[in-house]
Amino acid sequence: MTATADIVSVLVPLAIEGTYSYRVPAGLALAPGDIVEVPVGPRSYVACVWDDPAEPIATSRLKSVAAKFDCPPLSENMRRFVDWVANWTLAPKGMVLRMVLRAPAALEPPAPQVGVRATGEAPERLTDARRRVLDLMDGGLAWTKRGLAEAAGVSPGVVDGLVAHGALELVELPPKPLFPPLDPDHAPPDLSDGQGEAAGHLRDKIAADAFSVTLVDGVTGSGKTEVYFEAIAEALRRRKQVLVLLPEIALTHEFLERFDRRFGARPAEWHSDQTPAMRERIWRGVISGEVRAVVGARSALFLPFRDLGLIVIDEEHDIAYKQEDRVAYNARDMAVVRGHLAGFPVVLSSATPSIESRNNADRGRYERIVLAERFNSGTVPRIEAIDLRREAPERGRFLAPRLVSEIERTLGAGEQALLFLNRRGYAPLTLCRACGHRFGCPNCSAWLVDHRFRGRLVCHHCGHEEPKPLACPECGAEDSLVACGPGVERVAEEVKARFPDARTLVLSSDLPGGVRRMRMELESVAAGEVDIIVGTQLVAKGHNFPELTLVGVVDADLGLANGDPRAAERTFQLLAQVTGRAGRAGQVGIGYVQTHAPEHPVIQALVAGDRERFYEYEIEARRDAGLPPFGRLASIIVSAEDRNAALAYARGLARVAPVVDKVAVLGPAEAPLAIVRGKSRFRLIVQAALGVDLQAYLRRWLALAPPPRGGLRVAVDVDPQSFL
Ligand code: ADP
Ligand code: ZN
């Protein structure tokens, strides 16, 4: 045997590029994918044996693998996925592995449950209570002690007594199945002709058992969910595991119930609100194959499925799929990569597909299925613009007279109205009338947002909070503070003043009570217990509100002009989604869009109900500008507490940028959010033509700069979604 045969390379979940080599202790056989415990410095880590050849280091200096976990290995395609994501995002491989090994305690098999079973021996003394217990044990089945005591109506001590007397014996119980089986044929729907055709198409994709991407592009309420459920059913029939990603935890509940009705049981639920114990069970169930379907947030993409056969990305255009910190990845794009590596179909679903996905479909890289009609001949809402330059609200108010009278009419008809404003809190800015002082965050270059319900001023970037003072801290004037501009709380105040008898509800992600309260409130809206909903983008996504017929967009210009190349797309998607909430149960819906720029192509396309016009306009604009998907972008943010240090480093970076054809480096410029959490931020943008290997360019470039030191941070984001 050669010396290296006893050495393995191990990827540790730390911010390091490559693998480390370890000695394999005698008696242990290790193969790539095995999950092991290894020492690094004074600590030990859960890590994974990798495929790279081990470094031939003098064996005497090597540390040994401490243990191998009793757990199935990470599959080959999962390991290639980790490599791929690291290569694409420029994140250290170890940090990507860390997203996979999220639930380390799950690596130990669950502790066996102990139960009791009758031995057939009679106890010395047969009391009434004892008899009741033994009668229950007649079938020879094993029981948990607690379950038995409860069923027999005795104290646990009685059961213990019977064990002590030899009438019962302790046995190991098989683990309780946490994830009941899913039945693909539990309750299939009657699909419309168009839906049936779409479902058939997806079933064929599953049957082909090969990589493909299908974009299900259908108006809200057309039955996209029903249709992709048929793909899930087919995958389950073929004994494949299924993953569905949703952009928002608040949506999960409705989805779970729907899934339950269709498949006779719930899927496993993976998101940050899940208990650690449950996350462990799911992780283990996913790698062992016991869990057949998972619905979750973007991080579920890194679960180590044993035999994944389908990923569905619902609301594929949603920005929530992009993670910005640590490993900057887009779960939608990486899901396609995972499908490609493992050879299974991926389904993207949206009423307002991203420009990227639409372009991929136009070019034949993805297939596109169009569901043009609402189910049950529901009509798509009509949309009208309200030109705020001509129909201005009264002073200090935010709803134009026409919108107010339309709300009145809606309430009169016993229907619901939704007012949408994508801004949490009461007012985005507070200033002193006497001296002009504005309340800014001490840590960020951002104004503090007045949250009047809580009586506090809050920074939406770092979370800094302070009580709202009675007097101006600058000039001491009392009662001089004024709120500038609206947030949802302020719109709600106006609604309550105008419609005192209506039942008004504010829905915003930061209200106390968390997901639980939000779910209850969404249910009360669905049940018709609310007349007017005032909400942020939370209400734009996927909920079915049957009584809702009017949607008012308070400020459609928010987000249209902020220097973000995707601003038009985002605005269109958000407005189309939110106005699409109107009139889903057969009634005719109408959307009013308040704007200062009714001539803007986004507003024009919305009002004309002409999605195609928007896509044509926006795709053309991106092509002209060489922006994604017709060019490639990366952003580099250099940040440090010391502004000069950050700027100097960013300038130095720009100076050493390799000059290459078809690559332009812009900046450094102060980021729009110039200071966050006390750190000054400078941004460089790399714009490249499509054929350029952007990652290779970035690697070559970053290697030329001195390593960032002393609190300096360099964050690379390939294909950035946010430009703040
Ligand atoms: P989308 O995902 O496109 O917004 P959904 O799948 O949520 O559409 O369908 C909208 C509503 O119509 C849901 O309440 C759904 O249950 C109902 N629906 C759609 N298709 C059918 C069908 N074939 N049979 C019964 N109900 C359907
Ligand atoms: Zn702040």
Side-chain angles (χ1 to χ4, degrees), residues 93-116:
K93 237 182 237 187
M95 293 307 278
V96 180
L97 180 68
R98 205 166 113 154
M99 300 196 292
V100 177
L101 300 178
R102 268 283 171 78
L107 296 161
E108 295 298 350
Q113 264 238 353
V114 176
V116 288

mmCIF file of all heavy atoms in Angstrom, residues 93-116:
data_model
loop_
_atom_site.group_PDB
_atom_site.id
_atom_site.type_symbol
_atom_site.label_atom_id
_atom_site.label_comp_id
_atom_site.label_asym_id
_atom_site.label_seq_id
_atom_site.Cartn_x
_atom_site.Cartn_y
_atom_site.Cartn_z
ATOM 1 N N LYS A 93 -15.242 27.283 -1.218
ATOM 2 C CA LYS A 93 -16.000 26.036 -1.271
ATOM 3 C C LYS A 93 -16.540 25.633 0.103
ATOM 4 O O LYS A 93 -17.650 25.132 0.226
ATOM 5 C CB LYS A 93 -15.073 24.936 -1.772
ATOM 6 C CG LYS A 93 -15.574 24.230 -2.993
ATOM 7 C CD LYS A 93 -14.607 23.136 -3.371
ATOM 8 C CE LYS A 93 -14.131 23.343 -4.793
ATOM 9 N NZ LYS A 93 -13.309 22.216 -5.266
ATOM 10 N N GLY A 94 -15.694 25.869 1.109
ATOM 11 C CA GLY A 94 -16.097 25.486 2.459
ATOM 12 C C GLY A 94 -17.359 26.206 2.914
ATOM 13 O O GLY A 94 -18.178 25.657 3.652
ATOM 14 N N MET A 95 -17.528 27.456 2.454
ATOM 15 C CA MET A 95 -18.717 28.200 2.857
ATOM 16 C C MET A 95 -19.964 27.653 2.176
ATOM 17 O O MET A 95 -21.058 27.737 2.719
ATOM 18 C CB MET A 95 -18.550 29.686 2.524
ATOM 19 C CG MET A 95 -17.476 30.364 3.342
ATOM 20 S SD MET A 95 -17.699 30.121 5.118
ATOM 21 C CE MET A 95 -18.912 31.401 5.442
ATOM 22 N N VAL A 96 -19.793 27.109 0.989
ATOM 23 C CA VAL A 96 -20.944 26.499 0.311
ATOM 24 C C VAL A 96 -21.299 25.186 1.019
ATOM 25 O O VAL A 96 -22.468 24.895 1.278
ATOM 26 C CB VAL A 96 -20.656 26.266 -1.184
ATOM 27 C CG1 VAL A 96 -21.862 25.638 -1.870
ATOM 28 C CG2 VAL A 96 -20.275 27.580 -1.864
ATOM 29 N N LEU A 97 -20.262 24.413 1.372
ATOM 30 C CA LEU A 97 -20.517 23.167 2.102
ATOM 31 C C LEU A 97 -21.255 23.455 3.410
ATOM 32 O O LEU A 97 -22.117 22.704 3.836
ATOM 33 C CB LEU A 97 -19.204 22.439 2.391
ATOM 34 C CG LEU A 97 -19.378 21.120 3.155
ATOM 35 C CD1 LEU A 97 -20.075 20.075 2.283
ATOM 36 C CD2 LEU A 97 -18.047 20.595 3.669
ATOM 37 N N ARG A 98 -20.900 24.589 4.025
ATOM 38 C CA ARG A 98 -21.539 24.957 5.282
ATOM 39 C C ARG A 98 -23.053 25.084 5.120
ATOM 40 O O ARG A 98 -23.817 24.803 6.035
ATOM 41 C CB ARG A 98 -20.958 26.285 5.749
ATOM 42 C CG ARG A 98 -21.057 26.478 7.224
ATOM 43 C CD ARG A 98 -20.172 27.602 7.610
ATOM 44 N NE ARG A 98 -21.002 28.700 8.082
ATOM 45 C CZ ARG A 98 -20.583 29.601 8.928
ATOM 46 N NH1 ARG A 98 -19.349 29.565 9.373
ATOM 47 N NH2 ARG A 98 -21.374 30.548 9.325
ATOM 48 N N MET A 99 -23.487 25.525 3.941
ATOM 49 C CA MET A 99 -24.933 25.635 3.718
ATOM 50 C C MET A 99 -25.575 24.257 3.595
ATOM 51 O O MET A 99 -26.756 24.096 3.833
ATOM 52 C CB MET A 99 -25.212 26.458 2.452
ATOM 53 C CG MET A 99 -24.665 27.872 2.535
ATOM 54 S SD MET A 99 -25.365 28.969 1.273
ATOM 55 C CE MET A 99 -24.679 28.291 -0.212
ATOM 56 N N VAL A 100 -24.763 23.257 3.214
ATOM 57 C CA VAL A 100 -25.286 21.895 3.098
ATOM 58 C C VAL A 100 -25.330 21.222 4.471
ATOM 59 O O VAL A 100 -26.293 20.552 4.822
ATOM 60 C CB VAL A 100 -24.405 21.051 2.148
ATOM 61 C CG1 VAL A 100 -24.913 19.615 2.084
ATOM 62 C CG2 VAL A 100 -24.363 21.676 0.766
ATOM 63 N N LEU A 101 -24.296 21.442 5.261
ATOM 64 C CA LEU A 101 -24.202 20.776 6.571
ATOM 65 C C LEU A 101 -24.837 21.644 7.654
ATOM 66 O O LEU A 101 -24.255 21.872 8.694
ATOM 67 C CB LEU A 101 -22.741 20.482 6.922
ATOM 68 C CG LEU A 101 -21.996 19.578 5.942
ATOM 69 C CD1 LEU A 101 -20.545 19.403 6.374
ATOM 70 C CD2 LEU A 101 -22.674 18.223 5.816
ATOM 71 N N ARG A 102 -26.011 22.116 7.404
ATOM 72 C CA ARG A 102 -26.676 23.055 8.283
ATOM 73 C C ARG A 102 -27.173 22.472 9.599
ATOM 74 O O ARG A 102 -27.429 23.181 10.542
ATOM 75 C CB ARG A 102 -27.899 23.643 7.563
ATOM 76 C CG ARG A 102 -27.610 24.915 6.824
ATOM 77 C CD ARG A 102 -27.527 26.072 7.786
ATOM 78 N NE ARG A 102 -27.053 27.278 7.164
ATOM 79 C CZ ARG A 102 -27.800 28.072 6.397
ATOM 80 N NH1 ARG A 102 -29.056 27.753 6.175
ATOM 81 N NH2 ARG A 102 -27.298 29.150 5.881
ATOM 82 N N ALA A 103 -27.381 21.186 9.597
ATOM 83 C CA ALA A 103 -28.022 20.592 10.768
ATOM 84 C C ALA A 103 -27.158 19.480 11.317
ATOM 85 O O ALA A 103 -27.480 18.315 11.202
ATOM 86 C CB ALA A 103 -29.400 20.067 10.372
ATOM 87 N N PRO A 104 -25.993 19.825 11.893
ATOM 88 C CA PRO A 104 -25.006 18.799 12.245
ATOM 89 C C PRO A 104 -25.524 17.740 13.204
ATOM 90 O O PRO A 104 -25.159 16.577 13.064
ATOM 91 C CB PRO A 104 -23.857 19.600 12.871
ATOM 92 C CG PRO A 104 -24.382 20.958 13.128
ATOM 93 C CD PRO A 104 -25.564 21.163 12.244
ATOM 94 N N ALA A 105 -26.390 18.101 14.136
ATOM 95 C CA ALA A 105 -26.860 17.089 15.079
ATOM 96 C C ALA A 105 -27.639 16.005 14.354
ATOM 97 O O ALA A 105 -27.803 14.898 14.842
ATOM 98 C CB ALA A 105 -27.721 17.730 16.162
ATOM 99 N N ALA A 106 -28.124 16.329 13.160
ATOM 100 C CA ALA A 106 -28.896 15.362 12.387
ATOM 101 C C ALA A 106 -28.042 14.183 11.958
ATOM 102 O O ALA A 106 -28.540 13.185 11.476
ATOM 103 C CB ALA A 106 -29.481 16.038 11.155
ATOM 104 N N LEU A 107 -26.726 14.344 12.098
ATOM 105 C CA LEU A 107 -25.851 13.290 11.622
ATOM 106 C C LEU A 107 -25.892 12.062 12.506
ATOM 107 O O LEU A 107 -25.557 10.977 12.089
ATOM 108 C CB LEU A 107 -24.427 13.829 11.524
ATOM 109 C CG LEU A 107 -24.356 14.937 10.477
ATOM 110 C CD1 LEU A 107 -23.145 15.790 10.669
ATOM 111 C CD2 LEU A 107 -24.386 14.322 9.098
ATOM 112 N N GLU A 108 -26.282 12.260 13.753
ATOM 113 C CA GLU A 108 -26.418 11.111 14.631
ATOM 114 C C GLU A 108 -27.802 10.525 14.430
ATOM 115 O O GLU A 108 -28.769 11.268 14.324
ATOM 116 C CB GLU A 108 -26.262 11.549 16.095
ATOM 117 C CG GLU A 108 -24.880 12.075 16.430
ATOM 118 C CD GLU A 108 -23.787 11.024 16.252
ATOM 119 O OE1 GLU A 108 -24.118 9.842 16.056
ATOM 120 O OE2 GLU A 108 -22.602 11.406 16.311
ATOM 121 N N PRO A 109 -27.888 9.189 14.399
ATOM 122 C CA PRO A 109 -29.233 8.619 14.277
ATOM 123 C C PRO A 109 -30.080 9.043 15.474
ATOM 124 O O PRO A 109 -29.536 9.240 16.570
ATOM 125 C CB PRO A 109 -28.987 7.113 14.269
ATOM 126 C CG PRO A 109 -27.548 6.903 14.524
ATOM 127 C CD PRO A 109 -26.838 8.201 14.497
ATOM 128 N N PRO A 110 -31.374 9.233 15.268
ATOM 129 C CA PRO A 110 -32.212 9.651 16.394
ATOM 130 C C PRO A 110 -32.155 8.620 17.517
ATOM 131 O O PRO A 110 -32.049 7.426 17.258
ATOM 132 C CB PRO A 110 -33.610 9.726 15.781
ATOM 133 C CG PRO A 110 -33.542 9.016 14.470
ATOM 134 C CD PRO A 110 -32.113 9.019 14.033
ATOM 135 N N ALA A 111 -32.203 9.091 18.774
ATOM 136 C CA ALA A 111 -32.154 8.182 19.912
ATOM 137 C C ALA A 111 -33.341 7.235 19.820
ATOM 138 O O ALA A 111 -34.455 7.657 19.534
ATOM 139 C CB ALA A 111 -32.220 8.969 21.218
ATOM 140 N N PRO A 112 -33.100 5.926 20.052
ATOM 141 C CA PRO A 112 -34.215 4.984 19.935
ATOM 142 C C PRO A 112 -35.264 5.242 21.009
ATOM 143 O O PRO A 112 -34.934 5.622 22.131
ATOM 144 C CB PRO A 112 -33.541 3.623 20.115
ATOM 145 C CG PRO A 112 -32.244 3.902 20.784
ATOM 146 C CD PRO A 112 -31.840 5.286 20.413
ATOM 147 N N GLN A 113 -36.497 5.056 20.668
ATOM 148 C CA GLN A 113 -37.586 5.204 21.607
ATOM 149 C C GLN A 113 -37.792 3.878 22.307
ATOM 150 O O GLN A 113 -37.790 2.821 21.670
ATOM 151 C CB GLN A 113 -38.852 5.542 20.819
ATOM 152 C CG GLN A 113 -39.153 7.016 20.754
ATOM 153 C CD GLN A 113 -40.529 7.270 21.334
ATOM 154 O OE1 GLN A 113 -41.260 6.346 21.655
ATOM 155 N NE2 GLN A 113 -40.861 8.534 21.497
ATOM 156 N N VAL A 114 -37.983 3.958 23.603
ATOM 157 C CA VAL A 114 -38.190 2.720 24.343
ATOM 158 C C VAL A 114 -39.670 2.542 24.641
ATOM 159 O O VAL A 114 -40.355 3.491 25.014
ATOM 160 C CB VAL A 114 -37.363 2.732 25.649
ATOM 161 C CG1 VAL A 114 -37.662 1.478 26.474
ATOM 162 C CG2 VAL A 114 -35.888 2.827 25.319
ATOM 163 N N GLY A 115 -40.166 1.342 24.435
ATOM 164 C CA GLY A 115 -41.560 1.051 24.722
ATOM 165 C C GLY A 115 -41.676 -0.196 25.582
ATOM 166 O O GLY A 115 -40.674 -0.727 26.061
ATOM 167 N N VAL A 116 -42.889 -0.639 25.800
ATOM 168 C CA VAL A 116 -43.097 -1.846 26.623
ATOM 169 C C VAL A 116 -43.983 -2.840 25.885
ATOM 170 O O VAL A 116 -44.797 -2.463 25.044
ATOM 171 C CB VAL A 116 -43.757 -1.499 27.985
ATOM 172 C CG1 VAL A 116 -42.769 -0.780 28.888
ATOM 173 C CG2 VAL A 116 -45.019 -0.662 27.796
#
